[in-house]
Amino acid sequence: MNIDVTAMPATIDLLHVSLVTMTLIFFILFLIKSKRKIPDATEISESPAVAEPLAEPLAEPLAEPLAEHVTEPLTTSQLKKTSPDSALQLLALLQQEARFIDFIQEDLLDYSDADIGAAARVVHEGGQKVLKEYFSLAAVREEQEESRISLPDGFDATAIRLTGNVIGQAPYTGTLVHRGWKATEVKLPKLVEGHDVSIIAPAEVGL
Amino acid sequence: MSNVENNHTARYAVGIDLGTTHCVLSYVELHSDQDPAPHHVMPIPQLTSPGSVKDKMQLPSFIYQAHAAELAEGDTTLPWNIKPDTIVGSMARELGSKTPIRLVSSAKSWLCHGGVDRHQAFLPLNSPEEVTKVSPIEATYQYLMHMRSAWDFRFPDTALVDQDVTITVPASFDPSARDLTTEAAQRAGFKNLTLLEEPQSAVYSWLESSNDSWRNQVNVGDIILVIDIGGGTTDLSLVAVTEDDGNLSLNRVAVGDHILLGGDNMDLALAYQVKTKLAQEGKTLAPWQILAITHSCRDAKEILLTDPEIHSVPIVIPGRGAKLLGATLRSELTKQEVMASLVDGFFPEVGIHDHPVHQARGALKQMGLPYAQDVAICRHLAAFLCRQQAAANELLGQNNTGEFIQPTAILFNGGVLKAPVLSERIMSVINRWLSDVGAEQAKLLAGADLDLAVAKGAAYYGSVRKGKGVRIRGGIASAYYVGIESAMPAIPGMNPPVEALCVAPFGMEEGSIAEGSGQEFGLIVGEPVSFRFFVSTTRRDDKAGTLLDYWEPVELEELAEIQANLPVEGRKAGEIVPVQLASRVTEVGTLCLEAIPSDGSAKWQVEFDVRAS
C-alpha cells in the first residue's frame, strides 16, 4: 500500500474537485460495506469490522493499524473483495438526481465558467439531495476546527488520524485540522434480486 | 357494517391520511404501558426506480399503468409481491412525469366530483384506448392495498384489517364521496373502519401534542378556525369551545366548500413565471422542462420563504441528453417575485367582503376537475367566515349580529404554512378583519405538526374512541334536501318550481336516525327513480321533513342527483309504492338514505353515486 502523497495537484480546478467527490463517494461505499448501520463514533472504536484493512476504495493513506490488532496474527485472507452492487447503485442515484456521470464525462476545456457554473448547480443540488436522502452524515468531532483537543489512550485510530509530529504517549494534544465525516446511517434502496445494476442510466427513447 | 365487533382483537389504532398527492400511515398501540402511547409513522416500502425499493414516510398517491414493453422482468418486484399488477408510489410518479398518458393522479379529487360516474374506469383521463383505465375508487383501493400489504409485511401477526383504522377525508367531502371512500376501504378488506374529517384530525393532533396544556390555550366561548392547505386542496372548519359538566368540550360547527387549490398551484404559478422570463430571452420550453422547473421552483420557494438572508435562487434546467454543459438553461427566482405571486397572489390583503365569484358545483358538466378559479385563498376564507356568520350563535349562547363569524384562535395544517411569511400573512389578514369591527385579535395555536398532523390525529382518534381524551362533537356539517317538483298547473316555457324537503338535518351524530319526513313519494317498482339532491352548510334549524319553497341561492347548493331503485321482489312490476325517505348516520361516519314503504314492510337504499346507464 504505497501512495505518493507528495503528488498533490499544483492548482485546484473543477476536475480535481470532481476527483475528490469520487474519492468521498468511494469512502462512503467503503463504510457501507463495512457496516450497514454505524450508530456513533464510540461504537466505531469497538467495532473490529471497521478496523479491517481495506485497500482499493481508499485513495488517502490509511491509518496505522490499531494497537490491539497488531498483536493478532495477520493473515492475507483478511482482505475482502467489495461487491460492485452498491457502488453501481450509488452511481445510478447520482446520475439520476445529479447528472453526475454526464458531468464528469464532459470535457470542461470547451466551456466558459458560466456554462460550467450552471451545470455545477445541477450536480450540486442533486448530489446534496442524494446525500440527504440516503445517508445520515455527522462530523467525527464536534469541536471547532483549529481548536486544541486532547485524545485519551485507546482513541479510535480509524476515526481520528494523527499527523505531523507523531511521537510520545497518550494523551495526545493537537489542533483539530478537519473535523471529519462519518455516516451514521445508510438508507440505500433495496435492490430486486437479479436486477441489472450495471445499467447506471437507461437510454431514453421518446415515442 | 359495524365497527364495534372485532374491536377486542385490535392492538393498534391506525390513522391513514389518504391525501390527494401523498398518503401517510400512522399508528399507536391501544393498550400501551406508556402514557401517552408513543406515536409511529410507518415507513412504506415502495419502488423508487425500476428494481429498487425504498422505505419512505409518504406514499405518493399515483398509479402508473406501464406498457408491457416498458419494464423488464422483476423491475416492479415489491417485498411482498414478485409481480404486482399496478405500480403505486414514487416510481409511478417518476415514470408518469415523462409519460403522463399512463399516470393516474388526483383520484381523490375525482371521488368528490359529482359530474362523473366514479365507478367508471376513466383514469388516466383522455389517454389512448390501449392504456388500462381505472376508476377513482379502484385507484383509492390500490393505495389502501399497498399500505395494507406494507403493514402486513411489517407486522405479520397483526393484520391491518383487524386493527382500528381511521381514514381521513376532507371536511368538505359530500355523502357520496364519503360512501365511495368507504367502499374502496371495504374492498381492501378493512373491517373496523371510521372516517374522520381532516381538519378535525389536525385538532386531535394538536390536542395530543399539547399534552393537556390545550386547556390553557383556549377557553369557553373560543371559536377555533382550522385552516388546512394541502398539496391540492384547501379545507376550512370552525370548532367552538363549550363547557360540559365543568370540562371544556369541542364542537365542530361548520365546514367550508371543497376548494381545489393548494401548494401544487403555487409551484406551478412560479414555474410559469420562470417560463415567461425564459421566453423573453428567446428560449422556449418543452412540456417536460416545465415539470423540471416546477420541481426546482418548489425547492426555491421553500428557501426564499423561510430564509430572510437569501434574495434570489437560481433555477437550472438540465438538457435531456447526456450532454450537460451548454445544454443547461439557467434562470432565477427572486424573493420579490415569490412574494408578489405567492404572498400577494394567493394570500392578498383583501377586505372581509371581497369574495371569490361563486361557482356552482352542479353546473360543471365537462370532464375535468373543478379547480378553483380564484386562487386568492384569503377571498375563500372571507366568504367562508361571512357565510358561517351565525354558526356558533346557538351553541355558545351568543348573538353575533356582525357580518362574519369572529374566530378567536387559529390552527394551521399543511406543509405550505410552514413558511412563516405565509402563516403571518394569513394571521394579519384575519386580525385586520377582526380589528376593523373592534374584536380582539385571534391567537395562533402552537404545537401543530403541519406535515403529519392529519395522520397522527387520526391514529390518536382511535384511542379517543376508546374513551381516552376529549372527543370533538359535530355530526354531519350540512343539512341535505331532496328536490320535489311542486304540483301546479303547467305554464308553457317555465319549469315547475322545485321545493326542497329536508331529509337529513344539520348536526346528525353517528348512529342517529332521522325518520319519517312525512312527505310520501310514489316509486315505481323495478325502475330507478332519481331525485335532485341539495346541500346546505348554513341552514342549521331545518328538521327532517321541513319543506322549503323558497331559499336564497347561496343557501342551498345542488349536488349530483341520487337514485332509488326498488326491486320487483314480492310486488307487481310497474306497481307504484308510496315510500318515505329516512336518513341515518352510520358508525363509519357516512350518511345513508333509505326509502321505506309506508307499510314499513322493507327498506331500500338510496344510491348517492348514480351510475351511468
Side-chain angles (χ1 to χ4, degrees):
Chain A
M1 179 87 199
N2 277 318
I3 288 163
D4 188 1
V5 285
T6 59
M8 287 292 284
T11 56
I12 304 226
D13 56 24
L14 209 50
L15 196 66
H16 284 97
V17 173
S18 317
L19 280 172
V20 172
T21 319
M22 284 281 257
T23 311
L24 257 174
I25 288 156
F26 280 122
F27 180 64
I28 290 162
L29 283 174
F30 153 68
L31 287 175
I32 301 161
K33 292 315 294 176
S34 311
K35 203 166 176 234
R36 292 301 295 191
K37 195 172 155 71
I38 308 157
D40 62 38
T42 52
E43 283 195 31
I44 291 174
S45 66
E46 286 147 21
S47 163
V50 185
E52 269 177 323
L54 210 144
E56 273 156 13
L58 268 161
E60 293 174 55
L62 272 171
E64 295 100 324
L66 278 173
E68 60 204 74
H69 285 268
V70 176
T71 55
E72 289 171 20
L74 277 170
T75 56
T76 47
S77 65
Q78 282 198 349
L79 282 174
K80 76 175 177 193
K81 203 168 180 295
T82 57
S83 136
D85 284 13
S86 322
L88 291 168
Q89 189 189 11
L90 186 58
L91 280 182
L93 289 169
L94 285 168
Q95 166 62 17
Q96 194 182 320
E97 300 287 348
R99 306 289 295 272
F100 183 71
I101 295 172
D102 290 343
F103 181 68
I104 302 297
Q105 296 289 69
E106 294 256 24
D107 185 356
L108 297 190
L109 290 177
D110 303 339
Y111 296 96
S112 68
D113 281 2
D115 278 341
I116 298 170
R121 288 197 184 276
V122 176
V123 180
H124 182 263
E125 266 173 36
Q128 198 171 44
K129 214 171 134 192
V130 170
L131 283 192
K132 242 190 189 153
E133 173 96 25
Y134 303 105
F135 304 94
S136 300
L137 300 176
V140 175
R141 300 292 301 205
E142 296 298 336
E143 293 93 340
Q144 281 282 323
E145 282 179 1
E146 297 303 324
S147 68
R148 302 284 289 175
I149 63 168
S150 174
L151 300 171
D153 195 15
F155 72 92
D156 179 1
T158 312
I160 296 162
R161 177 153 320 123
L162 302 179
T163 56
N165 194 20
V166 186
I167 47 164
Q169 302 295 317
Y172 303 98
T173 306
T175 308
L176 182 63
V177 178
H178 190 292
R179 50 164 63 168
W181 287 113
K182 63 182 172 183
T184 52
E185 203 184 351
V186 178
K187 302 162 279 190
L188 281 174
K190 293 186 186 76
L191 288 173
V192 169
E193 197 61 51
H195 179 73
D196 184 0
V197 284
S198 68
I199 303 298
I200 292 167
E204 201 176 311
V205 182
L207 299 183
Chain B
M1 194 75 237
S2 163
N3 62 339
V4 180
E5 60 188 345
N6 295 331
N7 261 5
H8 56 280
T9 60
R11 184 168 163 204
Y12 298 100
V14 178
I16 297 178
D17 174 4
L18 199 55
T20 318
T21 51
H22 286 101
C23 300
V24 179
L25 189 150
S26 158
Y27 61 97
V28 288
E29 203 162 339
L30 278 170
H31 311 287
S32 171
D33 301 335
Q34 288 160 271
D35 189 44
H39 243 293
H40 307 276
V41 172
M42 184 180 79
I44 305 171
Q46 55 195 284
L47 289 157
T48 49
S49 65
S52 85
V53 175
K54 187 167 189 297
D55 285 355
K56 286 182 166 243
M57 292 305 174
Q58 295 182 319
L59 177 73
S61 316
F62 295 88
I63 292 176
Y64 187 75
Q65 305 285 29
H67 187 276
E70 213 176 330
L71 295 166
E73 184 81 30
D75 271 357
T76 59
T77 300
L78 286 166
W80 53 83
N81 191 345
I82 293 171
K83 207 172 181 320
D85 294 334
T86 39
I87 303 167
V88 173
S90 293
M91 185 168 92
R93 190 180 53 186
E94 285 309 311
L95 292 176
S97 67
K98 288 184 176 167
T99 312
I101 53 165
R102 294 183 172 273
L103 182 71
V104 177
S105 61
S106 298
K108 183 178 178 182
S109 302
W110 285 106
L111 265 191
C112 65
H113 186 0
V116 295
D117 177 358
R118 291 153 285 187
H119 281 92
Q120 197 198 328
F122 63 85
L123 295 173
L125 192 66
N126 302 333
S127 63
E129 221 163 274
E130 68 161 82
V131 177
T132 316
K133 307 284 197 304
V134 296
S135 67
I137 299 174
E138 167 77 19
T140 309
Y141 160 80
Q142 292 290 354
Y143 305 144
L144 290 170
M145 273 313 278
H146 187 98
M147 285 184 274
R148 178 183 161 183
S149 308
W151 173 283
D152 291 351
F153 181 73
R154 191 183 180 89
F155 303 106
D157 300 331
T158 47
L160 185 57
V161 295
D162 294 327
Q163 312 310 311
D164 282 351
V165 177
T166 304
I167 294 180
T168 60
V169 293
S172 48
F173 251 24
D174 64 21
S176 67
R178 286 173 201 237
D179 258 10
L180 297 170
T181 307
T182 311
E183 186 183 326
Q186 285 172 350
R187 252 183 75 195
F190 292 94
K191 285 181 262 178
N192 315 314
L193 178 73
T194 316
L195 298 184
L196 177 66
E197 292 172 4
E198 282 157 13
Q200 278 196 56
S201 195
V203 175
Y204 278 118
S205 174
W206 168 72
L207 290 176
E208 189 194 20
S209 65
S210 75
N211 215 350
D212 264 4
S213 76
W214 69 273
R215 287 169 219 275
N216 305 328
Q217 292 193 55
V218 293
N219 290 309
V220 176
D222 267 334
I223 296 169
I224 305 170
L225 168 64
V226 188
I227 302 176
D228 178 3
I229 305 179
T233 52
T234 293
D235 213 1
L236 305 168
S237 284
L238 286 167
V239 175
V241 184
T242 57
E243 196 168 18
D244 193 15
D245 290 337
N247 289 319
L248 287 184
S249 123
L250 298 168
N251 310 265
R252 197 268 286 103
V253 290
V255 302
D257 279 343
H258 198 69
I259 310 167
L260 287 187
L261 181 62
D264 293 352
N265 302 59
M266 299 177 195
D267 302 334
L268 215 56
L270 293 176
Y272 276 88
Q273 199 162 359
V274 173
K275 185 192 171 206
T276 315
K277 269 207 273 187
L278 285 166
Q280 281 163 359
E281 295 166 24
K283 293 166 187 159
T284 46
L285 295 180
W288 66 268
Q289 285 178 308
I290 298 279
L291 199 95
I293 300 182
T294 312
H295 287 304
S296 319
C297 284
R298 178 174 310 147
D299 300 338
K301 172 190 80 180
E302 277 158 25
I303 296 169
L304 287 169
L305 288 180
T306 46
D307 193 334
E309 301 288 306
I310 295 171
H311 295 285
S312 87
V313 173
I315 304 285
V316 284
I317 310 113
R320 280 209 287 194
K323 208 168 151 35
L324 193 62
L325 291 165
T328 301
L329 289 178
R330 186 185 183 283
S331 183
E332 63 175 15
L333 204 56
T334 64
K335 177 159 245 156
Q336 216 179 353
E337 288 164 338
V338 173
M339 293 297 276
S341 72
L342 296 196
V343 184
D344 296 331
F346 285 83
F347 303 95
E349 288 180 301
V350 297
I352 189 75
H353 300 298
D354 201 351
H355 298 174
V357 181
H358 186 73
Q359 277 279 335
R361 222 184 308 180
L364 285 145
K365 294 288 183 214
Q366 77 276 32
M367 279 293 256
L369 287 171
Y371 291 109
Q373 314 239 308
D374 193 334
V375 298
I377 288 176
C378 291
R379 275 200 270 271
H380 290 277
L381 195 53
F384 172 66
L385 294 179
C386 286
R387 192 167 347 112
Q388 297 299 340
Q389 173 265 336
N393 275 0
E394 191 186 327
L395 200 70
L396 298 180
Q398 294 173 341
N399 188 22
N400 176 21
T401 50
E403 288 173 89
F404 65 101
I405 189 162
Q406 293 157 7
T408 54
I410 314 286
L411 182 70
F412 284 140
N413 188 45
V416 171
L417 295 165
K418 273 194 289 192
V421 194
L422 300 183
S423 54
E424 281 160 19
R425 170 56 73 90
I426 297 182
M427 287 306 289
S428 86
V429 169
I430 295 173
N431 279 330
R432 201 165 45 81
W433 293 338
L434 291 170
S435 60
D436 281 352
V437 295
E440 262 184 64
Q441 302 280 288
K443 57 179 177 279
L444 182 64
L445 297 180
D449 178 343
L450 298 171
D451 280 323
L452 299 173
V454 168
K456 282 183 168 178
Y460 174 65
Y461 178 62
S463 50
V464 170
R465 286 174 60 86
K466 293 270 183 294
K468 284 185 198 166
V470 181
R471 189 163 173 179
I472 303 167
R473 288 187 306 211
I476 57 173
S478 314
Y480 293 95
Y481 305 80
V482 293
I484 301 164
E485 284 182 8
S486 55
M488 66 175 278
I491 303 167
M494 203 185 137
N495 289 326
V498 172
E499 293 179 316
L501 173 77
C502 180
V503 285
F506 201 98
M508 270 178 80
E509 299 223 358
E510 280 165 36
S512 69
I513 298 170
E515 264 186 50
S517 50
Q519 178 89 20
E520 284 194 344
F521 299 86
L523 295 194
I524 305 168
V525 171
E527 269 179 36
V529 180
S530 51
F531 298 91
R532 289 174 72 180
F533 194 45
F534 298 86
V535 61
S536 172
T537 54
T538 52
R539 296 190 65 100
R540 287 152 201 284
D541 303 324
D542 292 340
K543 303 268 178 300
T546 306
L547 193 63
L548 308 178
D549 53 6
Y550 173 77
W551 59 87
E552 295 287 337
V554 293
E555 282 185 310
L556 257 61
E557 193 183 341
E558 182 155 12
L559 298 173
E561 51 179 33
I562 54 172
Q563 201 169 67
N565 195 352
L566 277 54
V568 184
E569 201 182 327
R571 289 168 208 270
K572 286 196 290 275
E575 189 183 320
I576 295 174
V577 181
V579 297
Q580 285 198 10
L581 291 180
S583 61
R584 179 163 65 83
V585 177
T586 64
E587 290 291 336
V588 176
T590 56
L591 181 71
C592 187
L593 271 188
E594 282 157 351
I596 302 166
S598 303
D599 58 11
S601 61
K603 259 185 201 173
W604 292 290
Q605 184 90 20
V606 177
E607 299 286 340
F608 288 118
D609 183 46
V610 180
R611 291 164 209 219
S613 47

